[in-house]
Amino acid sequence: MPKRVGLREVAELANVSLAAVSRAYTPGTSISEATRERVMQAARKLGYRPNLLARSLIKGKSGIIGVVMGNPRHPLFAVALEALSRRLSQAGKHILIFTAENPAHMADVHVEDLLQYRVDALLLMAANLSSKLAEHCREGGIPVILFNRLAQKVPGMVTVTGAGRDIGQKIATHLLQQGYRRLAYMDEPLSSRELESGFIGYATSKGLPPPERVLVHSQREGAVVAARTLLSQRRRPDAIFCVNDHMAMATIEVARDEFGLKIGRALGVVGFDDSEQASWPTWDLTTYSHPIDPMIERIIDLLLQDPKERHPSRIIVEGVLKCRGSTKRT
Amino acid sequence: MPKRVGLREVAELANVSLAAVSRAYTPGTSISEATRERVMQAARKLGYRPNLLARSLIKGKSGIIGVVMGNPRHPLFAVALEALSRRLSQAGKHILIFTAENPAHMADVHVEDLLQYRVDALLLMAANLSSKLAEHCREGGIPVILFNRLAQKVPGMVTVTGAGRDIGQKIATHLLQQGYRRLAYMDEPLSSRELESGFIGYATSKGLPPPERVLVHSQREGAVVAARTLLSQRRRPDAIFCVNDHMAMATIEVARDEFGLKIGRALGVVGFDDSEQASWPTWDLTTYSHPIDPMIERIIDLLLQDPKERHPSRIIVEGVLKCRGSTKRT
DNA sequence: ATGAAAGCGCTAACAG
DNA sequence: CTGTTAGCGCTTTCAT
């Protein structure tokens, strides 16, 4: 075992002081090219690697961003994670990750650890998390940013979210334009109510019967059952808006395979999130697409911004409804 | 600003020494319930939170596991990440994450950072990464574990992989049993050759014409084009094995929608990875399923194991071929 | 531009 | 069981 090499060993080999070595590794310090070169050479020879932990200890911050993710399998989160990771590592920051099956529960147990690492900031990407967790974090004096695909009311925190009400309204509008009249709405429990209120609000304001609403737990199985129920009624809906693409696809399968409905013509289906598959010919699904890149960009800005000038605020990023075959009446 | 509270402040408030406070936070140290309680109370009052960085600095290890992920969007990785995160945080470890679009390229640039954090271990979950990266890591004296869905030959490293040759063979066997005779094989460049050799080897050993093989880049677009080419031939294949489910689904779409082929009957299709969608009625895709949980379990063991007793080895975890409608001739 | 020394916040021997 | 004393590996005044 070649004994751990530290600043000390390098300094000796290079015949300089510890401080010199340190400076050689810190951009923007006064050090002559000559010594820097000497140091670097010695360092290379010894296989020296500065210890970030020690540096962090002094600096008081770790260069680490804590990320709490609801569900890494959710396509949106996966994409976001990828983008985040890329941009953040460009900025020399790193991501300490946390997944929270049940955000409410894990909150107190494990996020505590996160805070102990003196993360520079905490990014919460969870569909629904206890405000207790949020509170907890802010007490830790760590800036918290909440990122969500759906709007959410979280007072006193920086949030980056989708447009909520507006989106629901936009979708209802599109459906009406296409000539659908009996709308229905398939949601998950605990999700944002803003989407719903926009959707239903607009529909009823136009004199339509209030859209029927079903709440569904497990994405696949629940949606299948719900779709069957919805479509078995004597006066079945002629358009269903599902709060994520998975549900929408399940609905399409049921409508197509079990009820023999022609998607688009006999039944309009709208999804949410614009997952990779949505554009495949098999689904050709009309769905709301989040502007991931701009969202991430905003988040990066916030994350890298001086905490002093960060004020509680809600940043809403608008996406676009991708109109495809699943809502074409022709 | 309530000035940062440290061991010191707590000790003063509780009227004990620094060491006492430290012990109160370290399980398995000799300290009386009485003092521990006093300490905890003072700590709570001050909002004290031990600084893990300082602790790590002393201990020489950070409690952090570095994870390099090829593509967070890959369903397998997402699932693995989730499982890993859960199990690891139970063990008090945390995950510093890294995504590597192009593993070969990012290798030297950013993994360096990872090493500087003195991660306890490095887990590489990338489809294909330069052995240079691997080398680099081991030089850093950090145990490296390679996790891959496909077998790969990496000498001198601990690897956990799928079964490679055997799987390819298993799939060919299944296809023959079902009565398919003109096999084809759709792969990505740079992926493991073991699967292929098992598949092709078995087929030819049974006297079949050597399976045609296409290599495809972009998952979706590439597969669509390749499928068209394959199916346009005068003597088209009657079964296609695709090295991931996405490709398989694309192939199914093309065969069904553009060539009017009945999947299963006229064309057998086999996927790989058993993604969530594979079992949906729309696809009903025969696909190879990785035993994620056992794999993760093995990895966790390795990760938590004393580095001293970790020997280079290749652990192969066997999964199962899920036979579904896409390879039923009836 | 460089070196010496004083810590960052905590743990790990040692004594007592 | 508890306190004292050295550091962990590095950054930073403060002199030189």
Side-chain angles (χ1 to χ4, degrees):
Chain A
M1 206 63 171
K3 197 194 178 291
R4 319 231 325 84
V5 305
L7 223 34
R8 170 76 121 295
E9 285 66 31
V10 179
E12 265 161 23
L13 211 183
N15 257 317
V16 291
S17 71
L18 304 192
V21 182
S22 172
R23 287 196 261 261
Y25 275 91
T26 316
T29 42
S30 20
I31 186 180
S32 74
E33 252 328 301
T35 32
R36 148 171 267 125
E37 198 39 57
R38 279 240 305 297
V39 170
M40 286 316 200
Q41 219 157 306
R44 222 167 300 131
K45 185 134 86 185
L46 295 176
Y48 169 72
R49 212 184 297 283
N51 186 328
L52 278 205
L53 293 173
R55 176 190 296 225
S56 303
L57 177 55
I58 290 178
K59 293 272 180 73
K61 32 184 270 163
S62 57
I64 294 177
I65 307 277
V67 173
V68 181
M69 244 194 323
N71 177 5
R73 280 135 97 166
H74 187 112
L76 199 83
F77 287 162
V79 173
L81 177 61
E82 192 178 0
L84 253 187
S85 164
R86 186 164 13 92
R87 296 286 283 99
L88 241 24
S89 69
Q90 280 166 15
K93 303 270 181 201
H94 299 296
I95 296 181
L96 198 59
I97 213 167
F98 247 86
T99 64
E101 304 275 331
N102 176 349
H105 181 249
M106 66 80 69
D108 324 274
V109 195
H110 289 305
V111 168
E112 183 60 29
D113 304 358
L114 255 184
L115 299 182
Q116 297 185 0
Y117 274 110
R118 297 299 191 261
V119 296
D120 295 358
L122 207 47
L123 177 61
L124 268 23
M125 308 204 292
N128 33 248
L129 31 74
S130 70
S131 56
K132 195 175 161 206
L133 166 55
E135 199 48 42
H136 195 80
C137 293
R138 275 234 304 299
E139 275 171 21
I142 290 169
V144 178
I145 294 172
L146 182 65
F147 170 44
N148 218 319
R149 62 201 255 277
L150 289 180
Q152 211 167 236
K153 38 19 8 275
V154 186
M157 204 178 323
V158 183
T159 64
V160 176
T161 73
R165 263 192 79 71
D166 291 354
I167 301 177
Q169 194 164 318
K170 201 179 289 185
I171 292 173
T173 309
H174 169 71
L175 254 16
L176 288 207
Q177 263 170 209
Q178 296 297 310
Y180 300 103
R181 286 294 173 269
R182 302 189 52 82
L183 311 187
Y185 177 73
M186 193 183 297
D187 197 358
E188 320 175 88
L190 296 180
S191 92
S192 155
R193 290 283 79 90
E194 294 198 23
L195 244 192
E196 171 184 345
S197 89
F199 184 72
I200 297 185
Y202 184 81
T204 52
S205 82
K206 289 300 179 185
L208 295 189
E212 188 168 353
R213 168 169 159 275
V214 286
L215 251 44
V216 148
H217 278 272
S218 119
Q219 301 226 318
R220 165 88 194 157
E221 286 320 315
V224 167
V225 173
R228 277 187 198 129
T229 312
L230 240 28
L231 296 176
S232 308
Q233 297 169 104
R234 55 275 93 98
R235 301 213 55 190
R236 65 160 68 109
D238 60 3
I240 304 180
F241 164 35
C242 303
V243 84
N244 67 52
D245 282 359
H246 265 59
M247 286 180 174
M249 292 172 190
T251 300
I252 288 179
E253 284 193 326
V254 170
R256 209 187 241 163
D257 304 347
E258 301 180 14
F259 289 80
L261 298 179
K262 182 117 192 354
I263 301 303
R265 169 137 204 66
L267 180 71
V269 179
V270 178
F272 203 84
D273 286 343
D274 194 25
S275 62
E276 201 182 330
Q277 319 237 17
S279 65
W280 292 16
T282 295
W283 309 114
D284 198 20
L285 180 65
T286 294
T287 184
Y288 180 81
S289 171
H290 303 278
I292 309 272
D293 286 338
M295 283 178 152
I296 295 296
E297 225 45 52
R298 293 299 296 122
I299 290 177
I300 299 279
D301 291 348
L302 289 166
L303 249 24
L304 300 182
Q305 182 182 108
D306 185 334
K308 272 81 188 69
E309 22 187 295
R310 190 150 38 198
H311 304 299
S313 61
R314 173 169 166 199
I315 295 170
I316 293 179
V317 189
E318 287 230 35
V320 45
L321 185 65
K322 296 255 171 102
C323 300
R324 294 196 263 247
S326 71
T327 54
K328 279 215 182 68
R329 271 253 132 121
T330 52
Chain B
M1 206 63 170
K3 198 197 176 289
R4 316 225 335 78
V5 304
L7 222 35
R8 171 76 120 293
E9 286 65 33
V10 179
E12 265 162 22
L13 211 183
N15 257 317
V16 291
S17 71
L18 303 192
V21 181
S22 172
R23 287 196 263 260
Y25 276 91
T26 317
T29 42
S30 16
I31 186 180
S32 73
E33 252 328 301
T35 32
R36 148 171 267 125
E37 197 41 56
R38 279 242 302 299
V39 169
M40 288 314 201
Q41 219 158 308
R44 220 166 301 131
K45 186 135 83 185
L46 296 175
Y48 169 73
R49 211 184 299 282
N51 186 329
L52 277 204
L53 293 173
R55 176 191 298 223
S56 303
L57 178 55
I58 290 178
K59 292 275 181 70
K61 32 184 272 171
S62 56
I64 294 179
I65 308 277
V67 174
V68 180
M69 246 196 320
N71 176 4
R73 280 134 98 165
H74 188 112
L76 199 83
F77 287 162
V79 173
L81 177 61
E82 192 177 2
L84 253 185
S85 164
R86 185 164 13 91
R87 297 284 284 100
L88 242 25
S89 70
Q90 281 166 14
K93 304 269 181 202
H94 300 296
I95 296 180
L96 199 58
I97 214 168
F98 248 86
T99 65
E101 304 275 331
N102 175 349
H105 181 248
M106 67 78 70
D108 324 275
V109 194
H110 289 306
V111 169
E112 183 60 29
D113 304 358
L114 255 184
L115 298 183
Q116 297 185 359
Y117 274 110
R118 296 299 191 264
V119 296
D120 295 358
L122 207 48
L123 176 61
L124 268 23
M125 306 203 295
N128 33 249
L129 32 74
S130 71
S131 56
K132 195 174 159 207
L133 166 55
E135 200 48 41
H136 194 80
C137 293
R138 274 234 304 299
E139 275 172 20
I142 290 169
V144 178
I145 294 172
L146 182 64
F147 170 44
N148 218 319
R149 61 203 253 277
L150 288 179
Q152 209 167 241
K153 34 33 346 280
V154 187
M157 204 179 323
V158 183
T159 63
V160 176
T161 73
R165 264 192 77 71
D166 292 354
I167 301 177
Q169 195 163 316
K170 200 179 288 186
I171 291 173
T173 308
H174 170 71
L175 254 17
L176 288 207
Q177 262 170 209
Q178 296 297 310
Y180 300 103
R181 286 294 172 267
R182 302 188 51 81
L183 312 188
Y185 178 71
M186 193 183 298
D187 197 357
E188 322 174 87
L190 295 180
S191 93
S192 156
R193 291 280 79 92
E194 293 198 23
L195 243 192
E196 171 184 345
S197 89
F199 183 72
I200 296 186
Y202 184 81
T204 54
S205 82
K206 288 299 178 185
L208 295 190
E212 188 168 355
R213 167 170 160 276
V214 286
L215 250 44
V216 148
H217 278 273
S218 119
Q219 301 226 319
R220 165 88 196 159
E221 287 319 316
V224 166
V225 173
R228 277 188 198 127
T229 312
L230 239 28
L231 295 177
S232 308
Q233 298 169 104
R234 56 276 92 98
R235 302 213 53 189
R236 65 161 66 111
D238 60 3
I240 303 180
F241 164 36
C242 303
V243 85
N244 68 51
D245 282 359
H246 264 60
M247 286 180 173
M249 292 174 191
T251 300
I252 289 180
E253 285 192 325
V254 170
R256 208 188 243 163
D257 302 349
E258 302 181 12
F259 290 79
L261 297 178
K262 182 115 191 351
I263 300 303
R265 170 138 205 66
L267 180 72
V269 179
V270 179
F272 202 84
D273 287 342
D274 195 25
S275 62
E276 201 182 331
Q277 319 236 19
S279 65
W280 292 15
T282 295
W283 310 114
D284 199 20
L285 180 64
T286 293
T287 184
Y288 180 81
S289 171
H290 303 278
I292 309 271
D293 286 337
M295 283 179 153
I296 295 297
E297 225 47 52
R298 295 298 296 123
I299 290 176
I300 299 279
D301 291 348
L302 289 166
L303 251 21
L304 301 182
Q305 182 182 109
D306 185 333
K308 270 81 187 69
E309 21 187 296
R310 191 152 36 197
H311 304 297
S313 61
R314 174 168 165 198
I315 295 170
I316 294 178
V317 189
E318 288 230 34
V320 45
L321 185 65
K322 296 255 169 103
C323 301
R324 293 196 265 246
S326 70
T327 54
K328 279 217 181 67
R329 270 249 131 125
T330 53

